[in-house]
Amino acid sequence: MANNTLQFKTNYAVSSKIEPFYKGGKVQISKEEKYIFCTCDTRVNILEIATGRVFRSIEQDDQEDITSFALSPDDEVLVTASRALVLKQWDWKEGHCVRSWRAIHNTPVASMTFDPSSTLLATGGCDGTIKLWDVLKQYCTHNLKGSAGVVHLVQFHPDSSVLQLFSSSLDCGIRVWDLRSSTCVCVLESHYSAVTSLAFTPDGSTMVSSGRDKICTVWDLKSRKVVRTVPVYEAVEAVVLLPESGDFSQIGVKAKGLHFITAGSKGLLRAWEASSARCVFTQPLPVGPLPPDGEGGAEEEWDQRSLTHCLHLPGSGRLATVTAEHNILLYQLPSLAVQQQFVGYNDEILDLKFLGKGDSHIVVATNSPQLKVFELSTSSCQILYGHTDTVLALDVFRKGSMFASCAKDKTVRVWRMNTESGEVRCVAQGSGHANAVGSISCSRLKENFVVSGSQDCTVKVWDIPEHQEGTGDIEQLSVRVTEKGHDKDVNSVAVSPNDKLLASGSQDRTVKLWSAADLGLLGVFRGHRRGVWCVQFSPMDQVLASASADGSIKLWGLQDFSCLKTFEGHDASVLKVIFVSRGCQLVTSGSDGLVKLWNIKTNECVKTLDAHQDKVWGLHANRRDDQVATGSADSTIVLWTDVTEAELAEEQAKQEDQILKQQELSNLLHEKKYLKALGLAISLDQPQTVLRVIKEIRQGKDGVQQLEGTLLRLRRDQKESLLRYCSMWNTNARSCLDAQAVIGVLLTHHTPEELLQYQGARGLLEALIPYTERHMQRIGRLLQASMFLDYMWQKMRVTGQSSRDAQDEEMDTSPLGTPHLPFILDKQPSRDGRDSCGEENEEEKEEEEEEEAHGVDGEGLQEDDGDVSAADGKASCNGRRGVGGKENVAPSLPAEESSDDDDQGKSEHGNKKAKISQPAADPCIELTLTR
């Protein structure tokens, strides 16, 4: 029952990528034969041969393209040269630059090489000069001038004791430089075009040179004479000498002597015998026809297959070749069987599908006539030759071992994979369309037919013959039925799960439903505002999905041909749509480079996946429905894995952990283990809980010392979090005191330099200042107001003491042992410089006049059992009359200090002068105030 429970997907994560790692230029293999070094724009990529993954990328900081690089023979030093005329020495194993220096060349460096001892580096520039550098002592040792034009080849003599350097430039000659005298001792002239490579025998006595003039020359380096000229009838880019020891009879080497292998414009490896100048072995052509002469010609095909590099791996007995299409192939000697193949650059990816048993492979259609089949575990690639023009679309049969392709060459081909060896070959082909075939779909129940849609506006159903594996020949597909289906290009076709219905989407903005048996039209779906790029049947329901250039995805009912739902979210054309989760969810890809996951029931976009920089043309899910592959015009293939269950398990574990930590926190607070409780609350990122812990610490016995000891034992990251919390607490009057207590501890025990090292400390401290100033102003106003109240209470006790001393003693509510603190009253100077308690100033006179005008006089004060009441609620020291007509003098309260922005918050008592009248019955009582 658990297996039948449908789990909706919520997210996909990138599990692996197949990215471009080589776009032309130099290729070198490490001495241990574990890594391939190659250039890709501003990077030198290090490819691990065993896994096919990029081990490390060495990238220039200046973002300038790398023009050349060289790896030392001991695999320790890598030096790169960029267009910025800077040489950089790298520790490539760790991926950091050791040092950099300015190249003395006036133009970019075109070629580089190390000597056998790994101490000297030679650089050939486009300015015709060659410079030698001592890598250990870090200085330039030689500056060799005399080459004509770009020095595209530099190579040391294999014997380090023979201090000679060989170079070649545009004058087609091979210059031999004596490094002792820094002079050119001779120029070897034999070629009539650029010399492409040099190969030396182990003893250094013989050298073989190759060129684009279709010859190879054997040189005697002692006499510096030509021993043999071998015509090879193709432009040779690389030459490799075969070891004299070893059995190479499989490639025609039957006699002893010098033999070499050439790689060039024909894309084939050929073995030559130097003594007789004859070819003893030619590699067989890859399977696949050449294009007709009228459509591209054979010469264009040879350019695509031509070889640009050939490297010998003596440790493993292999050869590595590089093609013009940036593919790196590893051959096993002596059979020259392809062992591994890596694709350095895929160009635009137009379509892809999972393939093989257990979806172990992926077949990719790139902007090329060749198909590429990648083994996902090793990234090794098999290139399929067959089509003569760009392949546009792919589809795979249900079992996964057979697939179909269509191309601009107006043909349809069916391919079958050998499940044991993984080898793929073409078993059938069909032609009949009048224009490029842009879409194809395979039958779902049996491997008996395919459907194609073309730019000629027709839809064809092709019958596949049975027993395609009987002979090695390619069968011909026969057309069952053809129908002109649309008024414009047919962009997509799809077969229903029961093989009874067909759907087609066209540039004419319509989707049509057909009978698979006779292509009878069953209905038309109208509603898209632009062309339809993809149609797809639901695997469970009678529903059809369509994706359009208008940026929407629509679901159509097959019964009444009505639009059931519309999904909008892409900002550009939607190029592909597939069903997942048993037809309950959709995955779409668009020309905005985004992949979106949708819930059909809620019309909701659950997740947007962003890993591409260009149009995502390819989108396919494996049969287990737990992996999705996407291919984009940015030449990147991304494999996405469903991480819904993993995220749910992680979230559940996180919640359980939170519950356990909350319980532990409660226990720690109960046990008063404040240090652990504080650290745990910070780790839970719960500011209110942290505040509660701090409040409990401060309320306890010796709260200040306890808080200080607890905070100082926290880690730095915990103090950073605490400072961030304080910035938030300080904005609230209820928690500002706790925040200030924490800040006080931090400021007391840490220097400003230490606090500024905290993450975001400067901004947090700046945020604390305005709120702290506001709190100080508020507390100042409260202190002044409380001072007035205390003053009033003290004076009321003094005036009533003469009549009821004992009673006043009992009414004293101040705490025992608490002395009456003297108040320090600020002097308020009058305008003429006199004290506020001295003679009357102008303000007091005005106040008297105002009171007299309202009939307020001393008679308003009445004595009642020794208590004093002021009718006007005011007290002053300006000599007001008492009951007996005598003047009572009392000091005035200071004017309240407050900031300008808080005038509205002044106390009522602070705005008025206090006036106290003492009864005449006690004239001897003196009021003493300490200033």
Side-chain angles (χ1 to χ4, degrees):
M1 294 297 293
N3 294 333
N4 296 328
T5 303
L6 178 63
Q7 176 67 56
F8 276 21
K9 305 180 190 308
T10 59
N11 194 13
Y12 287 93
V14 177
S15 58
S16 64
K17 285 185 178 182
I18 300 177
E19 297 180 284
F21 63 85
Y22 174 61
K23 292 185 178 180
K26 185 176 179 180
V27 175
Q28 191 171 347
I29 297 177
S30 63
K31 180 182 178 182
E32 297 179 350
E33 301 177 4
K34 291 183 179 179
Y35 302 101
I36 299 176
F37 292 74
C38 51
T39 58
C40 184
D41 297 333
T42 61
R43 307 187 304 274
V44 172
N45 286 323
I46 305 171
L47 186 74
E48 192 173 10
I49 296 177
T51 62
R53 308 291 182 188
V54 175
F55 166 71
R56 179 164 280 114
S57 288
I58 304 296
E59 186 167 6
Q60 295 282 122
D61 297 333
D62 51 17
Q63 296 296 315
E64 292 285 345
D65 287 351
I66 293 177
T67 58
S68 185
F69 72 92
L71 178 68
S72 61
D74 58 4
D75 286 351
E76 294 296 328
V77 180
L78 175 69
V79 178
T80 61
S82 68
R83 291 190 180 275
L85 306 182
V86 175
L87 298 175
K88 288 182 176 289
Q89 180 179 333
W90 302 84
D91 181 355
W92 62 270
K93 295 178 181 178
E94 299 296 330
H96 65 268
C97 180
V98 177
R99 72 185 185 99
S100 62
W101 68 95
R102 190 79 178 175
I104 313 176
H105 295 280
N106 298 322
T107 54
V109 175
S111 56
M112 301 172 66
T113 189
F114 273 93
D115 77 325
S117 65
S118 300
T119 56
L120 287 179
L121 172 69
T123 59
C126 297
D127 55 2
T129 63
I130 301 171
K131 303 189 187 306
L132 270 68
W133 310 83
D134 191 317
V135 178
L136 300 180
K137 299 180 181 179
Q138 303 180 1
Y139 70 97
C140 181
T141 61
H142 297 75
N143 185 14
L144 308 178
K145 298 180 180 180
S147 301
V150 178
V151 181
H152 58 264
L153 177 64
V154 287
Q155 196 160 342
F156 283 94
H157 193 280
D159 188 356
S160 58
S161 62
V162 180
L163 293 176
Q164 287 184 345
L165 178 71
F166 297 81
S167 68
S168 178
S169 58
L170 294 181
D171 58 3
C172 308
I174 303 171
R175 282 180 165 77
V176 182
W177 303 85
D178 185 1
L179 302 183
R180 292 185 176 89
S181 59
S182 299
T183 58
C184 177
V185 294
C186 71
V187 179
L188 306 178
E189 296 180 346
S190 172
H191 293 277
Y192 298 96
S193 67
V195 178
T196 55
S197 68
L198 303 175
F200 297 88
T201 56
D203 58 2
S205 61
T206 305
M207 178 183 72
V208 179
S209 61
S210 65
R212 297 193 179 101
D213 54 3
K214 302 183 179 181
I215 64 170
C216 290
T217 304
V218 182
W219 302 87
D220 184 355
L221 294 181
K222 294 181 179 179
S223 62
R224 296 168 186 165
K225 300 293 183 181
V226 176
V227 176
R228 177 74 65 180
T229 299
V230 181
V232 295
Y233 309 107
E234 68 170 327
V236 180
E237 296 294 333
V239 60
V240 172
L241 298 184
L242 288 175
E244 294 185 1
S245 60
D247 181 13
F248 297 98
S249 58
Q250 294 186 38
I251 55 175
V253 178
K254 298 181 180 178
K256 292 186 177 182
L258 182 62
H259 293 78
F260 58 89
I261 292 177
T262 58
S265 59
K266 291 186 178 181
L268 305 174
L269 295 176
R270 295 194 289 177
W272 300 83
E273 188 178 50
S275 58
S276 61
R278 67 186 181 91
C279 178
V280 296
F281 175 78
T282 300
Q283 187 183 18
L285 276 171
V287 178
L290 294 179
D293 292 338
E295 301 179 12
E299 184 176 352
E300 181 180 350
E301 182 71 14
W302 289 126
D303 289 341
Q304 294 174 352
R305 298 185 181 183
S306 62
L307 302 177
T308 58
H309 296 82
C310 186
L311 306 170
H312 185 216
L313 285 68
S316 58
R318 293 185 291 179
L319 282 179
T321 62
V322 182
T323 69
E325 287 195 329
H326 314 305
N327 302 324
I328 301 175
L329 292 86
L330 296 178
Y331 295 95
Q332 186 65 53
L333 288 174
S335 62
L336 287 184
V338 177
Q339 192 178 54
Q340 283 180 287
Q341 184 165 276
F342 305 106
V343 176
Y345 183 62
N346 282 312
D347 206 354
E348 291 190 28
I349 296 172
L350 304 181
D351 203 358
L352 54 78
K353 291 290 186 293
F354 282 100
L355 182 67
K357 186 178 180 180
D359 297 318
S360 58
H361 294 69
I362 190 169
V363 56
V364 182
T366 63
N367 194 16
S368 165
Q370 289 83 42
L371 289 169
K372 299 180 176 68
V373 179
F374 289 91
E375 186 178 1
L376 295 179
S377 60
T378 63
S379 296
S380 181
C381 178
Q382 181 182 170
I383 297 180
L384 308 180
Y385 295 90
H387 288 286
T388 56
D389 208 339
T390 303
V391 180
L392 297 177
L394 301 165
D395 197 23
V396 180
F397 289 91
R398 183 172 60 90
K399 293 183 179 180
S401 60
M402 199 161 77
F403 66 95
S405 62
C406 60
K408 284 184 178 180
D409 60 5
K410 309 172 189 176
T411 64
V412 173
R413 285 180 176 264
V414 178
W415 310 77
R416 183 179 292 277
M417 169 183 276
N418 188 323
T419 56
E420 296 181 358
S421 64
E423 182 183 358
V424 180
R425 69 180 186 90
C426 181
V427 296
Q429 70 168 354
S431 59
H433 281 288
N435 210 329
V437 186
S439 59
I440 195 165
S441 182
C442 300
S443 58
R444 299 302 170 204
L445 297 180
K446 297 181 180 180
E447 300 173 349
N448 55 359
F449 72 90
V450 295
V451 181
S452 63
S454 170
Q455 293 179 6
D456 60 10
C457 307
T458 63
V459 178
K460 290 181 181 289
V461 179
W462 307 78
D463 285 324
I464 299 176
E466 298 180 358
H467 311 295
Q468 305 96 4
E469 299 184 10
T471 62
D473 298 333
I474 298 177
E475 302 274 350
Q476 291 297 320
L477 299 175
S478 59
V479 178
R480 180 196 304 174
V481 61
T482 301
E483 185 69 32
K484 184 181 183 300
H486 294 272
D487 298 330
K488 292 185 179 180
D489 299 356
V490 180
N491 292 331
S492 177
V493 291
V495 179
S496 64
N498 59 4
D499 282 353
K500 292 183 178 181
L501 300 175
L502 304 179
S504 61
S506 170
Q507 202 66 27
D508 63 5
R509 299 178 293 181
T510 64
V511 178
K512 293 187 178 182
L513 188 66
W514 311 84
S515 171
D518 56 358
L519 278 185
L521 182 62
L522 301 178
V524 180
F525 306 92
R526 292 184 175 90
H528 284 294
R529 301 185 302 275
R530 298 185 66 183
V532 178
W533 280 113
C534 183
V535 291
Q536 192 74 30
F537 282 97
S538 170
M540 305 298 289
D541 302 319
Q542 294 187 7
V543 173
L544 179 71
S546 62
S548 170
D550 61 9
S552 68
I553 306 101
K554 290 182 180 291
L555 289 184
W556 309 89
L558 300 183
Q559 300 293 336
D560 54 1
F561 310 109
S562 63
C563 179
L564 304 177
K565 286 180 179 290
T566 300
F567 302 86
E568 293 182 345
H570 284 278
D571 295 332
S573 301
V574 185
L575 303 177
K576 279 289 171 69
V577 57
I578 59 173
F579 284 90
V580 294
S581 303
R582 300 180 192 171
C584 295
Q585 290 182 293
L586 294 175
V587 178
T588 60
S589 65
S591 59
D592 52 6
L594 301 178
V595 179
K596 290 181 178 289
L597 174 65
W598 307 81
N599 275 352
I600 293 178
K601 185 176 181 180
T602 61
N603 271 49
E604 178 188 7
C605 177
V606 180
K607 192 71 177 179
T608 298
L609 310 174
D610 187 4
H612 292 288
Q613 306 299 323
D614 210 336
K615 302 178 182 67
V616 183
W617 288 107
L619 175 66
H620 193 231
N622 64 352
R623 283 173 296 218
R624 294 177 57 188
D625 207 21
D626 62 349
Q627 204 169 34
V628 169
T630 57
S632 169
D634 61 5
S635 187
T636 303
I637 300 170
V638 179
L639 296 177
W640 306 84
T641 302
D642 179 19
V643 294
T644 302
E645 293 185 2
E647 287 186 345
L648 287 175
E650 183 180 354
E651 184 66 24
Q652 185 176 359
K654 187 181 296 184
Q655 292 178 357
E656 292 176 356
D657 185 57
Q658 290 279 344
I659 294 173
L660 293 176
K661 286 184 177 180
Q662 290 285 2
Q663 183 62 45
E664 183 183 359
L665 180 61
S666 301
N667 295 337
L668 292 173
L669 290 175
H670 181 71
E671 298 171 4
K672 296 186 178 182
K673 296 180 179 179
Y674 295 121
L675 178 62
K676 291 184 178 180
L678 194 62
L680 187 57
I682 293 174
S683 67
L684 291 172
D685 195 19
Q686 296 180 354
Q688 294 302 319
T689 306
V690 176
L691 179 62
R692 184 160 60 91
V693 174
I694 291 176
K695 284 181 180 294
E696 292 196 16
I697 294 175
R698 295 184 64 220
Q699 291 172 1
K701 185 179 180 181
D702 298 331
V704 177
Q705 292 80 5
Q706 185 78 8
L707 179 65
E708 183 175 354
T710 303
L711 295 183
L712 293 179
R713 294 170 63 185
L714 294 176
R715 300 191 309 270
R716 173 174 170 172
D717 60 325
Q718 294 174 330
K719 292 179 182 177
E720 291 176 356
S721 301
L722 201 57
L723 185 61
R724 188 173 71 252
Y725 298 157
C726 287
S727 178
M728 180 173 57
W729 299 337
N730 197 48
T731 60
N732 194 327
R734 295 181 179 180
S735 56
C736 67
L737 294 179
D738 302 289
Q740 293 295 329
V742 174
I743 295 170
V745 174
L746 295 178
L747 291 175
T748 303
H749 296 276
H750 295 282
T751 63
E753 291 76 12
E754 292 176 346
L755 289 177
L756 289 176
Q757 296 296 323
Y758 290 1
Q759 184 177 2
R762 187 178 299 275
L764 295 174
L765 294 174
E766 289 177 355
L768 286 168
I769 294 174
Y771 284 101
T772 302
E773 291 177 348
R774 187 175 302 178
H775 295 320
M776 291 299 296
Q777 292 169 3
R778 178 174 53 81
I779 293 173
R781 293 193 300 270
L782 290 175
L783 285 175
Q784 291 177 354
S786 64
M787 182 184 298
F788 173 77
L789 294 176
D790 198 2
Y791 173 77
M792 289 290 294
W793 170 246
Q794 294 296 332
K795 296 302 105 187
M796 291 171 67
R797 293 179 59 230
V798 169
T799 55
Q801 191 170 4
S802 61
S803 59
R804 300 177 64 180
D805 294 338
Q807 185 176 355
D808 287 343
E809 290 291 335
E810 296 174 358
M811 291 175 63
D812 190 358
T813 58
S814 61
L816 294 175
T818 303
H820 295 295
L821 299 177
F823 290 90
I824 300 175
L825 303 181
D826 295 335
K827 281 188 176 182
Q828 297 293 338
S830 62
R831 295 177 183 175
D832 58 356
R834 291 174 293 181
D835 291 343
S836 60
C837 291
E839 297 180 4
E840 297 176 349
N841 53 28
E842 294 179 5
E843 182 180 355
E844 292 169 340
K845 289 179 179 180
E846 292 175 2
E847 196 171 347
E848 278 189 22
E849 291 172 0
E850 183 180 357
E851 291 178 355
E852 291 175 358
H854 288 79
V856 178
D857 201 357
E859 284 81 6
L861 299 176
Q862 298 179 359
E863 181 180 357
D864 186 8
D865 295 331
D867 294 335
V868 178
S869 62
D872 55 358
K874 301 178 183 178
S876 68
C877 57
N878 56 359
R880 302 289 288 170
R881 294 185 180 90
V883 176
K886 296 183 180 180
E887 293 182 349
N888 300 319
V889 180
S892 63
L893 287 176
E896 178 176 339
E897 297 179 1
S898 62
S899 60
D900 295 336
D901 57 345
D902 286 330
D903 286 341
Q904 66 276 14
K906 289 184 177 180
S907 171
E908 179 183 357
H909 300 289
N911 288 330
K912 301 177 182 179
K913 299 293 182 179
K915 304 181 184 66
I916 300 275
S917 295
Q918 184 176 347
D922 299 315
C924 59
I925 297 178
E926 295 182 1
L927 306 180
T928 303
L929 298 178
T930 304
R931 294 191 178 187

